Every structure is written in structure tokens, then in C-alpha cells.
Amino acid sequence: MTISTERFTFTRDGDQLVGNLFLPEGTPTGVVVTTGPLTSVKEQAAGVYAQALARRGFAALAFDHRTFGESEGEPRQLEDPLGKAADISAAITALQGDARFADSAVLAIGVCAGGGYMARAVADDPRIKAFAGVAGVYADAAANPADPAVVERGRKARELRLATGEVETIPAVAADNGDVAMPLTEAFEYYGTPRGVVPNYTNGFAVESFEHTAGFDAQEAAARLSVPFLLVHSEHALVPPWAHKFYAAVASPKSELWLDSVGQIDFYDDPRLIEPAADAAAALFRDVC
């Protein structure tokens, strides 16, 4: 299916957020909001899945969260899971305010860290009618409690910014997997090379993000989901035990699709994973539209 793309902007707390809205030919079946991996921007995994759903007849939005990419917000590169969930709700408000989508079912896809963030958004926002998590990282604060030293590092960085205006950052990825946000070789092979880098992406992570990410918990949202849920994952992706635990706790209608990936990152750009994941999500979404 031929799709078109338009710039879509909205605000949260006075900051403008910028998205790409992908539109199918004709009347869309529903409207999908996507969110992607840690530090990512709309031209990466979130955009890939938004385009895949648009090709299947849905309007789909991928956007830069506050402090990332083309969107406003300070400090830059602040990774705040609950803040990102609030961005999602702001996106939904904007989409429902568009006459084209006022009566459309709102649907959700979260990829990687965005799976956990989206879980919280879906549990807290009754406007979302179905949710697909693709290679989701469903952080488990009970099994993996925050390291006090990491939280303290984030607190000191925040206090430094407030006192001096200096934003302490570290790379998101590096070849040596040193002091970085994502110490994974496959993450560097995506974000640190032409494979995944795009002009809108910044290889950076505000250190004060640790105050928000270290104690984040997605697992608690599982039991609060009240809409149909699809889990797409792989035993070779990140922390499959968290995915299994999250899925087991979901009491709403649910289904799962386990694919054979190389690791985590190929879910971002490998059609052998993207196409079946998008097919399964589209099937779920059509059932509620």
C-alpha cells in the first residue's frame, strides 16, 4: 500500500514535540501511537513500525519525545520513562483533536524500552484500546532494584545542572562499551554506525536520567492492563524472563508471538522480524476497531 507522510506537532508542558504521521490511502482503520528504544528518535525503530502499520491501513505516529531529536525540552537527552508516558498521552490528545481521527480507535506499539514505557501509558490512559509490545524491556524493579550509587550519580548531575547550567552527559553507545547508557556491542553496531544512525539522532544520555531510569518498573502495569495485549519477543532478545513474567501477569485478553532473532537490535531493522510483528499487531488492532 502506498503511504504518505506529514509533519505532526503537539505540545506538552509548553514544549513542542515533533512527529512523523504516516497515512494510508483512504480512511484509516485506526490510529497507532508508537514509542521506541532508549535515546532513539522517530526516524529509527518507532518510525519503522509506524510505517509498517500505515502500510496495513492504519494512521501511525512516530515522534521525538521531549528533549530528543527535533522536539523541545531541557535538559537535552533526558531519558525519563514516566515523562515519555506523559508524552504519549499528549500525543493521543493531539490526535483526537484532529478531525480526521476524532472517532478513531487509538492503538499503541512500544519497542524495546518503549515497550515498558508504553505499558505504563496504556495502564494509565483508558483512551488506548489495544497494545503491542515488540522486543519490550519490561523493567522489574523488584528483581532488579535500583543501585543507590547509580541513583546518586543522577541526583548529583541534576544538582550540577540546577546550580551551574551544565548538563553532564555520557555517550549512549561506544565501541568499547565503557561508561555508556547502553553497554551492548549490538547497540553500538546500530546507533554507532551507518546501520542505524540518522541525522536527527544524538549519541548522548543525560546522566541525571539515572534518577528516572534506575528505579523504573514496568511490571506493575501488567496486572492493570484492561485492553487486548500482544507480546512479540525472542528468547535471544533482551531479558526474556521479564517478558514472560509480564505476560503471565496480564489478565486482559492476550496473545504472544515468539520469533527467532539474532538478538535485540535486529527487531529494529530486519524485515524478517518487523513484518510478522506488524502483521500480528495489525490483526490485533483490527479486532478492536
Side-chain angles (χ1 to χ4, degrees):
M1 176 184 291
T2 300
I3 62 175
S4 60
T5 309
E6 64 182 53
R7 185 179 175 91
F8 188 87
T9 62
F10 58 99
T11 61
R12 182 170 83 82
D13 294 345
D15 290 324
Q16 184 183 75
L17 282 71
V18 179
N20 289 330
L21 180 62
F22 300 95
L23 298 168
E25 297 175 339
T27 302
T29 304
V31 59
V32 180
V33 179
T34 67
T35 189
L38 198 81
T39 78
S40 66
V41 292
K42 63 185 180 299
E43 293 83 6
Q44 295 169 326
V48 167
Y49 283 90
Q51 291 177 72
L53 268 296
R55 291 194 299 270
R56 288 159 174 80
F58 297 84
L61 176 67
F63 67 93
D64 291 331
H65 283 276
R66 289 175 75 245
T67 83
F68 291 96
E70 292 185 84
S71 292
E72 297 176 341
E74 299 290 339
R76 302 304 295 171
Q77 303 299 120
L78 177 70
E79 190 75 28
D80 176 2
L82 297 182
K84 286 191 167 184
D87 293 344
I88 292 162
S89 288
I92 293 169
T93 297
L95 287 165
Q96 291 191 324
D98 187 314
R100 295 172 295 177
F101 313 120
D103 298 320
S104 297
V106 177
L107 313 153
I109 290 183
V111 184
C112 193
Y117 303 166
M118 189 63 84
R120 293 290 294 262
V122 174
D124 292 331
D125 194 327
R127 297 174 296 177
I128 301 171
K129 302 306 180 185
F131 165 38
V134 179
V137 177
Y138 304 100
D140 188 343
N144 187 41
D147 182 339
V150 172
V151 176
E152 178 68 5
R153 184 182 182 188
R155 183 189 67 78
K156 288 182 176 178
R158 172 174 53 82
E159 292 180 347
L160 174 68
R161 174 178 59 84
L162 293 174
T164 70
E166 178 186 348
V167 178
E168 183 184 359
T169 62
I170 58 175
V173 297
D176 64 1
N177 290 328
D179 184 17
V180 298
M182 294 180 279
L184 297 168
T185 297
E186 64 170 326
F188 173 77
E189 290 171 349
Y190 180 82
Y191 292 105
T193 75
R195 173 184 170 191
V197 73
V198 294
N200 194 34
Y201 180 73
T202 297
N203 181 13
F205 178 85
V207 171
E208 67 182 88
S209 303
F210 287 130
E211 274 198 300
H212 304 281
T213 60
F216 175 66
D217 182 62
Q219 291 290 329
E220 67 84 24
R224 297 195 293 117
L225 294 184
S226 60
V227 300
F229 170 59
L230 166 68
L231 182 139
V232 180
H233 213 81
S234 165
E235 293 293 353
H236 301 294
L238 287 176
V239 284
W242 288 358
H244 286 292
K245 180 178 179 180
F246 186 91
Y247 186 81
V250 172
S252 60
K254 60 187 177 181
S255 56
E256 56 187 331
L257 173 64
W258 288 82
L259 299 173
D260 186 17
S261 71
V262 174
Q264 177 75 7
I265 305 299
D266 46 332
F267 272 100
Y268 302 1
D269 61 359
D270 188 340
R272 294 178 301 171
L273 301 171
I274 294 162
E275 294 303 306
D279 283 342
L284 171 70
F285 295 163
R286 290 188 191 106
D287 284 345
V288 302
C289 289

